[in-house]
Amino acid sequence: MSTHEPEFPTDQPVVFPRGALSLLARVDLTPTALRVLMMLIDHHDPETGVAKLSQNELVAAGAGAKQQVNTAIRALREANLVTEAGYGSYTLHPLLTDGATPSPVTEVPVISALDPQRFSEVRRHRYAKQGQAILLARRLNRQRLRAAVPHNA
């Protein structure tokens, strides 16, 4: 496990438009993905929009376990918030870097954000499925406990 603490490329403040915050609020990300995104934003080069921070460094910095960080990076790529720019390097969406890009001619992907109504529907559906899974697990656990307890005849 790496103990390397990446240096900040600059101590200048991170700038992006307020609209970006509303847009990010509608991107369905896990807490780990949000944590990884914040770390990438914090470590990006303000001239290129590239964050040089490997998954191992993200794990060492406390973003989460290796599998969680890997899943978070995949979710950020699927949402078009980051693209891979080589090993341990990620290009952030220009909306998150005050327009900074690695080259003057860069395709700007559309961020996969849901409209507010659809976002609520997706969340309700996800939590309903989680609730059903929890109830099923409890029911199975009770059945196992009953089967394990000897019955007095």
Side-chain angles (χ1 to χ4, degrees), residues 99-118:
T101 59
S103 71
V105 181
T106 301
E107 182 180 336
V108 178
V110 175
I111 295 174
S112 300
L114 300 170
D115 67 80
Q117 179 64 30
R118 180 78 179 119

Side-chain angles (χ1 to χ4, degrees), residues 61-78:
K66 178 79 172 186
Q67 183 60 40
Q68 290 174 313
V69 169
N70 184 284
T71 302
I73 292 289
R74 185 176 336 113
L76 294 172
R77 281 196 324 257
E78 289 172 359

Side-chain angles (χ1 to χ4, degrees), residues 42-107:
D42 196 33
H43 286 79
H44 83 277
D45 181 330
E47 293 180 17
T48 65
V50 174
K52 293 184 179 181
L53 202 59
S54 72
Q55 289 188 21
N56 288 335
E57 290 169 328
L58 286 162
V59 169
K66 178 79 172 186
Q67 183 60 40
Q68 290 174 313
V69 169
N70 184 284
T71 302
I73 292 289
R74 185 176 336 113
L76 294 172
R77 281 196 324 257
E78 289 172 359
N80 293 322
L81 292 169
V82 302
T83 55
E84 288 195 50
Y87 177 79
S89 295
Y90 301 93
T91 302
L92 294 165
H93 192 284
L95 186 65
L96 304 174
T97 62
D98 198 28
T101 59
S103 71
V105 181
T106 301
E107 182 180 336

Side-chain angles (χ1 to χ4, degrees), residues 114-128:
L114 300 170
D115 67 80
Q117 179 64 30
R118 180 78 179 119
F119 184 79
S120 295
E121 290 172 18
V122 168
R123 286 291 182 154
R124 269 195 299 276
H125 180 71
R126 177 184 296 155
Y127 291 131

